Amino acid sequence: METSLRRGDGSTFLTLQHNQFENWIHARWYGRQTLGTVMDGGLTHLDMIRQQPCAKLLNDHRDLIGTFVEANDWIQQIWTPLTIAAGLRSIGQVISPDVFSQLSIEDLQHRIGNQLDLYLFDSLEVAQTWLRTQ
């Protein structure tokens, strides 16, 4: 089952799907993100792993544009400890072609990489292959 989160204008900013066969949640982000959309998406993901424990996240930024570094404090201080407590262990991160998004995820990797296995990948297929080994 897929969950779609939308902005006030009706556009989708995130889809979340629990892939039971692969045992991961695939989070695909779209467009520009704000602290609010990151928080909404992060809390929705947290609810999903609390309902159906899942140690892996395929975090897909192929369609993400721009920076989200303003959300990294919240991700580091709030989301990461809560998701670890809920069972998250590994994040396969597909990076965006957008350089500002890349800088934001590199900042986040520096902040939380010692708490979770967070690896950055240029392609969805390589990220999936890595997650299968976790």
Side-chain angles (χ1 to χ4, degrees):
M1 182 172 140
E2 185 173 276
T3 300
S4 293
L5 301 181
R6 300 184 185 281
R7 296 177 184 87
D9 66 3
S11 64
T12 299
F13 68 86
L14 175 64
T15 58
L16 291 159
Q17 183 174 23
H18 186 215
N19 183 327
Q20 293 181 336
F21 177 75
E22 297 285 8
N23 195 30
W24 64 54
I25 293 173
H26 184 177
R28 187 161 186 181
W29 297 85
Y30 300 90
R32 296 191 183 279
Q33 301 300 316
T34 65
L35 176 58
T37 60
V38 170
M39 290 173 68
D40 287 347
L43 293 173
T44 301
H45 171 255
L46 178 62
D47 287 343
M48 288 179 82
I49 64 172
R50 283 178 172 162
Q51 292 170 15
Q52 290 184 291
C54 186
K56 303 176 198 177
L57 172 62
L58 178 60
N59 204 36
D60 186 347
H61 283 188
R62 291 176 293 163
D63 298 308
L64 191 130
I65 301 167
T67 184
F68 57 89
V69 75
E70 69 278 357
N72 283 353
D73 284 339
W74 181 83
I75 296 169
Q76 177 186 12
Q77 297 168 14
I78 307 297
W79 182 84
T80 298
L82 290 173
T83 57
I84 290 171
L88 185 66
R89 298 292 175 259
S90 303
I91 301 173
Q93 176 65 55
V94 183
I95 63 170
S96 169
D98 181 90
V99 68
F100 296 107
S101 176
Q102 291 172 17
L103 293 171
S104 297
I105 198 63
E106 288 169 4
D107 174 66
L108 184 61
Q109 183 185 36
H110 176 74
R111 292 170 178 242
I112 67 171
N114 63 341
Q115 299 171 60
L116 290 165
D117 290 330
L118 169 60
Y119 288 89
L120 309 183
F121 300 95
D122 291 326
S123 82
L124 179 66
E125 294 76 20
V126 176
Q128 290 171 325
T129 299
W130 177 80
L131 268 181
R132 286 183 187 112
T133 67
Q134 301 308 299

